[in-house]
């Protein structure tokens, strides 16, 4: 029987405050699965019109799917959160774009009518599971020159981007990083970020119990002089530093998406509509360019240009990666459409969770910009990929 895909809408999203990975970070003694459980429970609390038994899927991404991020994290987190046992769940891995892929995959089920609503998100505890821990790359990658050896080191791929685009200097990357820090500080001061943070109980054997209520990574006192003095760990006399890159972080994100007609039936807010999405592959050694072909594909399919896009939430894995995207589309470094409340250089990038942070931030920004119809969430992905989702503002 022929079927027509239906509209999918973003209802609500929340995230934990992001922490610094490591023994002194917020979540050093907090389990990853408990973090995503906090997110799921908060989504249910904030959306009482959503009957838990009507949730059709729980899709949770993690890049390192072992330990407290294993056991099919989408299903195990659903059970731990107290959802009915009838609600299924699954795990997703597309490295940094894990949560983005959780949303687009669950949206496909909703669009075809296999589910009416879904919870989708991601979690990454990089303190418990450092990037690449437990991985055993096949030696053929290097021995057969399938990829350049630098492709397996994300910071090195960023240095490669600087090589490819010499107009993107370290000074320019540092200036972009400083702007990100300042925008996050301004957004916090204006109360723009706090409404989407779920407080998380945290425990320390030394300090006892506490409550995480704000992001740990931002450095509002950052200066250009301080950034200029940082070391370049990926290459002698390089251009990529800890200051113009996202850090190593812990955090979880989640959102409720639904069929438009189901959202209307249940009385759920429809904040933005998923118009289209694309994932694209690029040379792994310059993975940061991935958002460019992914975005080009989405724009072309929908007969749009970048002039039609009123807001852009791009993940700031590295400043050079964002600047390469901006240069390609002839967008100024300080264009007010781009990450108006700052990005991952200041807030952090807990790998698989970050895609939904972009969506949460875009949905909140849409509310105050009724003249903006379309927005993008886009990011680069390890091993040479990019992902882009096109959204329509439903607040006008």
């Amino acid at each position: 029987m022929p079927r027509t895909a239906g509209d999918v809408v973003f209802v609500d999203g929340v995230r934990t405050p992001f922490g610094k990975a490591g023994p002194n970070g917020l979540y050093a003694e907090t389990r990853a699965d408990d973090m995503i459980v906090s997110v799921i429970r908060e989504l249910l609390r904030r959306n009482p019109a959503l009957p838990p038994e009507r949730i059709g899927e729980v899709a949770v991404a993690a890049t390192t799917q072992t330990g407290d991020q294993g056991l099919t994290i989408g299903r195990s987190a659903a059970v731990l959160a107290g959802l009915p046992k009838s609600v299924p769940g699954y795990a997703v891995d597309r490295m940094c774009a894990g949560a983005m892929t959780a949303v687009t995959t669950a949206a496909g089920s909703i669009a075809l009518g296999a589910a009416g609503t879904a919870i989708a998100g991601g979690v990454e505890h990089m303190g418990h599971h450092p990037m690449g821990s437990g991985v055993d790359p096949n030696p053929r990658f290097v021995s057969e020159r399938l990829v350049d050896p630098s492709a397996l080191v994300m910071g090195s791929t960023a240095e490669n981007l600087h090589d490819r685009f010499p107009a993107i200097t370290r000074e320019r990357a540092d200036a972009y990083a400083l702007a990100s820090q300042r925008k996050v500080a301004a957004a916090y001061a204006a109360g723009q970020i706090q409404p989407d943070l779920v407080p998380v109980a945290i425990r320390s054997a030394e300090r006892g119990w506490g409550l995480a209520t704000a992001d740990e990574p931002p450095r509002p006192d950052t200066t250009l002089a301080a950034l200029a003095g940082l070391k370049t760990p990926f290459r002698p006399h390089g251009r990529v530093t800890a200051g113009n890159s996202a850090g190593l972080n812990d955090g979880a994100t989640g959102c409720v998406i639904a069929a438009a007609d189901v959202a209307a039936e249940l009385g759920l807010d429809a904040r933005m509509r998923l118009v289209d999405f694309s994932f694209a592959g690029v040379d792994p050694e310059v993975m940061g360019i991935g958002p460019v072909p992914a975005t080009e594909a989405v724009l072309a399919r929908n007969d749009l240009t970048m002039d039609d896009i009123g807001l852009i939430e791009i993940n700031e894995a590295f400043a050079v990666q964002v600047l390469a995207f901006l240069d390609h589309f002839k967008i100024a470094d300080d264009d007010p459409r781009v990450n108006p409340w700052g990005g991952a250089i200041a807030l952090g990038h807990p790998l698989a969770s970050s895609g939904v942070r972009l969506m949460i931030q875009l949905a909140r920004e849409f509310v105050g910009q009724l003249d903006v119809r379309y927005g993008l969430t886009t990011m680069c992905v390890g091993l040479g990929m990019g992902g882009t989702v096109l959204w329509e503002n439903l607040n006008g």
Side-chain angles (χ1 to χ4, degrees):
M1 178 182 296
R3 297 162 73 176
T4 302
D7 284 342
V8 179
V9 297
F10 182 100
V11 172
D12 195 11
V14 299
R15 66 178 179 88
T16 68
F18 288 171
K20 296 180 180 179
N24 297 316
L26 276 177
Y27 302 113
E29 298 177 48
T30 301
R31 290 180 60 95
D33 48 13
D34 285 338
M35 294 163 66
I36 190 65
V37 165
S38 295
V39 166
I40 294 171
R41 287 177 172 167
E42 178 67 4
L43 287 170
L44 295 173
R45 188 194 69 80
R46 287 174 36 147
N47 296 275
L50 174 60
E53 66 273 10
R54 292 288 297 271
I55 299 169
E57 286 281 14
V58 176
V60 177
T63 301
T64 305
Q65 296 190 13
T66 187
D68 57 355
Q69 291 179 181
L71 198 62
T72 310
I73 187 70
R75 172 59 174 173
S76 58
V79 173
L80 289 166
L83 293 178
K85 302 299 193 302
S86 59
V87 176
Y90 58 96
V92 176
D93 175 18
R94 201 198 294 262
M95 292 194 171
C96 303
M100 178 178 282
T101 304
V103 170
T104 57
T105 302
S109 296
I110 292 171
L112 289 178
T117 69
I119 290 176
V123 62
E124 205 74 53
H125 199 311
M126 300 181 76
H128 292 179
H129 310 284
M131 188 186 306
S133 63
V135 172
D136 179 20
N138 194 302
R140 291 182 52 233
F141 278 119
V142 175
S143 66
E144 297 182 18
R145 298 184 180 181
L146 300 176
V147 300
D148 186 89
S150 63
L152 303 179
V153 180
M154 296 303 99
S156 296
T157 70
E159 290 284 8
N160 293 342
L161 266 189
H162 274 290
D163 292 341
R164 180 171 290 194
F165 302 108
I168 306 177
T169 61
R170 173 173 174 177
E171 290 74 19
R172 191 175 159 201
D174 284 350
Y176 181 88
L178 179 63
S180 182
Q181 295 283 357
R182 288 179 172 171
K183 286 190 283 187
V184 165
Y188 256 102
Q192 302 284 22
I193 292 175
Q194 296 91 323
D196 296 318
L197 300 181
V198 51
V200 178
I202 54 175
R203 179 188 177 278
S204 164
E206 180 180 342
R207 296 182 296 274
W209 287 94
L211 196 65
T213 59
D215 294 304
E216 188 178 21
R219 300 179 63 90
D221 57 346
T222 298
T223 65
L224 278 178
L227 290 170
L230 295 175
K231 296 179 180 180
T232 58
F234 301 104
R235 183 186 295 181
H237 310 293
R239 292 140 297 189
V240 179
T241 72
N244 59 34
S245 312
L248 304 179
N249 305 106
D250 309 326
T253 63
C255 65
V256 174
I257 57 174
D261 57 348
V262 173
E265 172 204 341
L266 296 175
L268 299 170
D269 289 338
R271 299 168 65 182
M272 55 187 188
R273 180 177 71 91
L274 198 163
V275 180
D276 197 1
F277 66 89
S278 176
F279 293 95
V282 297
D283 290 339
E285 54 267 26
V286 285
M287 68 96 192
I289 204 68
V292 169
T295 300
E296 286 181 326
V298 164
L299 295 177
R301 279 202 301 265
N302 293 276
D303 197 25
L304 298 172
T305 71
M306 195 57 79
D307 291 339
D308 298 304
I309 306 301
L311 286 167
I312 302 166
E313 278 294 322
I314 180 169
N315 193 47
E316 298 170 353
F318 302 94
V320 63
Q321 156 253 316
V322 178
L323 294 169
F325 176 92
L326 298 182
D327 282 358
H328 178 86
F329 288 105
K330 296 179 172 56
I331 299 171
D333 294 6
D334 60 354
D335 191 304
R337 296 176 296 169
V338 181
N339 292 5
W341 295 347
I345 287 174
L347 291 169
H349 173 32
L351 300 184
S353 70
S354 287
V356 166
R357 182 194 64 79
L358 302 176
M359 298 171 192
I360 293 168
Q361 213 146 303
L362 178 65
R364 182 72 61 180
E365 291 159 359
F366 268 154
V367 174
Q369 303 208 36
L370 304 185
D371 58 332
V372 171
R373 182 176 182 185
Y374 294 114
L376 291 176
T377 54
T378 186
M379 62 198 313
C380 60
V381 189
L383 279 185
M385 292 181 283
T388 298
V389 186
L390 174 65
W391 299 92
E392 183 181 17
N393 188 359
L394 298 180
N395 292 283

